[in-house]
Amino acid sequence: MRDPNKKRRWRLTPPRVLVCGFAFIILLGALLLMLPISNADGKSLSFIDALFTATSAACVTGLVVVDTGTHFTMFGQIVLLTLIQLGGLGFMTMATMFAIAFRKKISLRERLILQEAMNQGTMEGIVRLIRKVIGYALVIEGAAALLFFVRFSYDMPIGQAVYYGIFHAISLFNNAGFDLFGPITGPFSSLTSYVGDPIVNLVAMFLIISGGIGFIVLSELYDYRRTRRLSLHSKVVLSTTGFLIVVGAVVIFIFEFTNTKTMANMPLMDKIWASFFQSVSPRTAGANSLNIPDMRQASQFFIVILMFIGASPGSTGGGIKTTTFSILIGAVLAMTRGKEDIVMFKYRLAKDRIFKAVTLTLLALGLVLSVSMILSTTEDQEFLAILFEATSAFGTVGLSMGVTPELSAFGKVLISLTMFAGRLGPLTLAYALGPKSERELYRHPEGKITIG
């Protein structure tokens, strides 16, 4: 007998729409990347490699099994750039942009999906926020593309400098980490040839940070001169982001200062640029100005921690997010001081925020450790390199210790799924794949368990 509630239980809720939408974009991108016109050798790319690359682009990660600049034609690179923009801003954001352009009314259901996509707690002002998101993205990417063009024009023909400026501005703002420098400085070289270049470093870091702090924060910063106020969310994001960047730069500077394979022979200013860039990039851009496999294990493991934390809510980045990290640190401090509440900037946090932060962190930790354990069985690589790869995929970072091109077919599929889960978020996937929760009609009696 047919269950009358089955159809209702499996209807397309906002989280399921996001999952299905991203899956469709990835599959379409993979099919386009398989075409001979997308590949420089004129041959078809294997489905597994195309699926991996499309997933990495749509999930704005940057892990690659083939070098973007040397393997793909301009058509293939534009396919990747489109996937990056769709994945970074969100396909619902782009769909809303076209709806606004054609004066189409945004339905309640579409607003609910946008609320889920932007990680908002309310639908109020969601369409206005989308307009701002699109505006900020175009202005920031356009300005950065112009600055990159001016700098790159000294190293390459004008036409190529224009194209490189646009590609890398979009890639870095969306925290994707794809680059085209393979034909110039060698495959998988990223920004290593610009390690001490102040213009490239400043523009790239600005793009990564502005794309990673989230559009809510960007909006409040833009309006600050008029409102003279920032929300608690923005204060926590900005303070945590600043703290992690400075601490990360100091730690990497100390660990790599005497490393002859990375920074030992660099001038002091180049060391400072490299330290800051490698502190910013794991949050979750994936570009690198130092060769990651040559870094000390202490630096590599520290980067794993930065990648796991990731960017901020409502941004183009992944990870457990800076706000989640702040809540966890706040909980530890409150417990050790004997406080009952977590207080930030004179505001007490609600209990449900704390439970959500703990749940998200444990789900993320479970995912990264599970993927690492499986890959340590299927791949012939050192465990730190595998842990680095799994965390990079979950955090949609794109940094690698050289493992990605050597992954088995199973490893590529597993990392692709990890990137997919990291971009959507473990909680969104859990809501999308799990049954609809029902309100409990009673509460159990309280019990106590000894801890510590």
Side-chain angles (χ1 to χ4, degrees):
M1 185 175 179
R2 183 176 293 178
D3 184 357
N5 295 320
K6 185 175 181 180
K7 184 177 179 181
R8 184 173 60 187
R9 282 202 307 265
W10 288 100
R11 73 179 188 273
L12 281 177
T13 59
R16 288 173 185 164
V17 170
L18 290 178
V19 171
C20 294
F22 265 101
F24 174 76
I25 291 171
I26 289 169
L27 183 59
L28 179 61
L31 294 175
L32 291 174
L33 291 176
M34 288 177 66
L35 298 175
I37 193 176
S38 296
N39 300 279
D41 58 6
K43 300 177 181 178
S44 294
L45 187 65
S46 69
F47 176 71
I48 293 294
D49 286 348
L51 181 66
F52 185 97
T53 306
T55 304
S56 183
C59 297
V60 289
T61 304
L63 290 174
V64 289
V65 290
V66 293
D67 181 67
T68 308
T70 56
H71 185 89
F72 292 109
T73 61
M74 181 175 285
F75 176 83
Q77 292 167 4
I78 291 174
V79 169
L80 287 174
L81 204 60
T82 305
L83 290 173
I84 290 169
Q85 192 72 291
L86 284 172
L89 298 184
F91 70 94
M92 278 304 301
T93 301
M94 303 301 289
T96 304
M97 179 182 72
F98 287 110
I100 293 172
F102 288 103
R103 300 181 181 279
K104 180 181 176 295
K105 188 176 180 180
I106 310 299
S107 67
L108 177 63
R109 180 176 178 78
E110 289 166 340
R111 290 170 190 265
L112 285 169
I113 297 170
L114 286 170
Q115 177 188 341
E116 182 70 29
M118 299 303 294
N119 201 16
Q120 296 294 290
T122 175
M123 286 189 298
E124 183 180 356
I126 191 69
V127 176
R128 185 166 62 252
L129 176 62
I130 295 301
R131 286 196 182 100
K132 289 183 177 180
V133 165
I134 296 166
Y136 296 150
L138 293 178
V139 169
I140 293 173
E141 288 173 352
L146 180 61
L147 291 172
F148 274 148
F149 155 69
V150 172
R151 175 59 188 88
F152 294 154
S153 63
Y154 288 93
D155 302 331
M156 59 189 73
I158 297 297
Q160 187 180 10
V162 171
Y163 178 57
Y164 271 46
I166 294 172
F167 187 98
H168 293 96
I170 294 175
S171 177
L172 289 171
F173 176 74
N174 288 287
N175 281 214
F178 283 82
D179 72 273
L180 302 178
F181 291 105
I184 300 174
T185 54
F188 309 107
S189 57
S190 193
L191 298 177
T192 51
S193 60
Y194 293 97
V195 62
D197 191 295
I199 296 176
V200 173
N201 274 275
L202 283 172
V203 175
M205 286 191 288
F206 173 77
L207 285 168
I208 295 168
I209 294 169
S210 59
I213 60 177
F215 297 109
I216 306 167
V217 180
L218 281 178
S219 178
E220 291 190 10
L221 287 175
Y222 180 78
D223 295 334
Y224 182 76
R225 285 205 297 180
R226 177 175 54 84
T227 62
R228 292 294 173 182
R229 65 178 297 274
L230 293 173
S231 65
L232 174 62
H233 170 82
S234 294
K235 290 178 181 178
V236 171
V237 166
L238 292 172
S239 59
T240 307
T241 299
F243 172 79
L244 289 173
I245 290 173
V246 172
V247 170
V250 171
V251 171
I252 291 172
F253 183 84
I254 293 171
F255 286 157
E256 297 300 316
F257 189 86
T258 57
N259 186 350
T260 54
K261 295 181 179 179
T262 55
M263 294 190 343
N265 300 319
M266 290 182 183
L268 179 60
M269 201 63 216
D270 288 7
K271 291 180 180 180
I272 294 173
W273 284 122
S275 299
F276 271 98
F277 190 86
Q278 286 311 139
S279 175
V280 170
S281 184
R283 317 275 320 291
T284 57
N288 57 285
S289 58
L290 295 177
N291 193 21
I292 302 297
D294 290 338
M295 298 178 78
R296 289 196 168 110
Q297 287 189 341
S299 302
Q300 293 166 349
F301 187 74
F302 182 73
I303 289 175
V304 167
I305 298 172
L306 292 178
M307 292 192 297
F308 186 74
I309 296 171
S312 302
S315 71
T316 58
I320 63 171
K321 305 294 192 297
T322 52
T323 49
T324 302
F325 174 72
S326 297
I327 291 174
L328 294 177
I329 296 299
V332 172
L333 293 176
M335 181 63 68
T336 54
R337 293 172 180 175
K339 305 286 186 180
E340 186 175 344
D341 297 320
I342 300 176
V343 178
M344 294 182 179
F345 295 97
K346 299 181 181 179
Y347 284 93
R348 173 176 54 85
L349 297 185
K351 297 294 183 185
D352 68 307
R353 300 293 90 188
I354 303 168
F355 291 147
K356 187 173 182 179
V358 173
T359 302
L360 176 60
T361 303
L362 290 178
L363 285 174
L365 188 61
L367 175 64
V368 170
L369 293 180
S370 298
V371 171
S372 299
M373 284 191 290
I374 295 171
L375 288 178
S376 66
T377 304
T378 62
E379 313 299 319
D380 185 21
Q381 300 287 342
E382 294 182 359
F383 182 75
L384 180 56
I386 289 173
L387 177 65
F388 195 101
E389 192 84 3
T391 310
S392 180
F394 163 74
T396 68
V397 179
L399 295 175
S400 176
M401 290 173 60
V403 172
T404 314
E406 301 178 10
L407 288 171
S408 64
F410 176 82
K412 291 174 184 176
V413 172
L414 185 59
I415 289 294
S416 296
L417 292 173
T418 308
M419 290 188 286
F420 188 72
R423 179 64 184 96
L424 291 170
L427 283 179
T428 298
L429 277 180
Y431 291 149
L433 302 177
K436 184 180 178 182
S437 60
E438 297 180 358
R439 191 178 186 87
E440 292 185 351
L441 300 178
Y442 60 91
R443 296 181 71 187
H444 293 280
E446 186 178 278
K448 291 186 178 181
I449 299 176
T450 302
I451 297 176

